[in-house]
Amino acid sequence: MFEVIPWSSLFGGILLGISAVLLLLFNGKVAGISGVLNGLLANTSGDRSWRALFLIGLLVGGGVAIPLLDLAIPQFEQTSMLTFVVAGLLVGIGTRIGNGCTSGHGICGMGRLSKRSIVATLTFMAVAAVTVFIRLHLI
């Protein structure tokens, strides 16, 4: 058996870590996507510009990376729009209940050794493993 090094995943993880550190160092903000989006929509803190630029950068970066790196776009012909809507709502509810998303807890919180974020990330990963097992082996 041979090992395959997932270079694109490694490179992406390095970029995520660098961007999270830079945002925390220069802006004092945590790069949790649900918190960034919530702050943009709520407009309670008066710092909409960096939040909008951050989210635009995510979309533009992904749009540029697809043709530049010749990435395959997943096909979802067999998935209904209702499934996407329900999944999105469940993710939104989960981030609200968990006080953050996987990027906020998993990247930023664990990097700061936050106990709450470590517990949240372990919970995310355990639920993901159970979900994949159920989906692949029981359904």
Side-chain angles (χ1 to χ4, degrees):
M1 189 162 110
F2 62 92
E3 274 189 56
V4 176
I5 301 173
W7 291 108
S8 60
S9 299
L10 178 64
F11 183 63
I14 290 169
L15 288 176
L16 281 171
I18 290 170
S19 66
V21 167
L22 290 175
L23 185 62
L24 188 60
L25 283 176
F26 292 113
N27 208 2
K29 305 292 183 182
V30 174
I33 305 307
S34 63
V36 172
L37 180 61
N38 186 41
L40 179 66
L41 297 176
N43 193 25
T44 55
S45 56
D47 55 353
R48 292 183 82 182
S49 59
W50 78 266
R51 293 173 187 275
L53 290 172
F54 188 92
L55 294 170
I56 289 168
L58 286 175
L59 296 172
V60 170
V64 168
I66 289 170
L68 189 65
L69 301 174
D70 195 30
L71 300 174
I73 299 173
Q75 302 299 315
F76 299 103
E77 292 93 14
Q78 297 174 347
T79 306
S80 71
M81 185 57 69
L82 178 63
T83 301
F84 283 117
V85 169
V86 170
L89 288 172
L90 288 173
V91 169
I93 292 167
T95 59
R96 189 55 98 171
I97 292 170
N99 273 344
C101 58
T102 53
S103 59
H105 286 300
I107 297 170
C108 303
M110 286 185 64
R112 293 180 295 126
L113 300 177
S114 164
K115 290 177 187 171
R116 183 179 75 144
S117 291
I118 292 169
V119 170
T121 303
L122 290 173
T123 303
F124 296 154
M125 297 308 290
V127 170
V130 169
T131 301
V132 169
F133 178 81
I134 291 171
R135 171 68 175 90
L136 293 180
H137 300 291
L138 300 179
I139 296 179

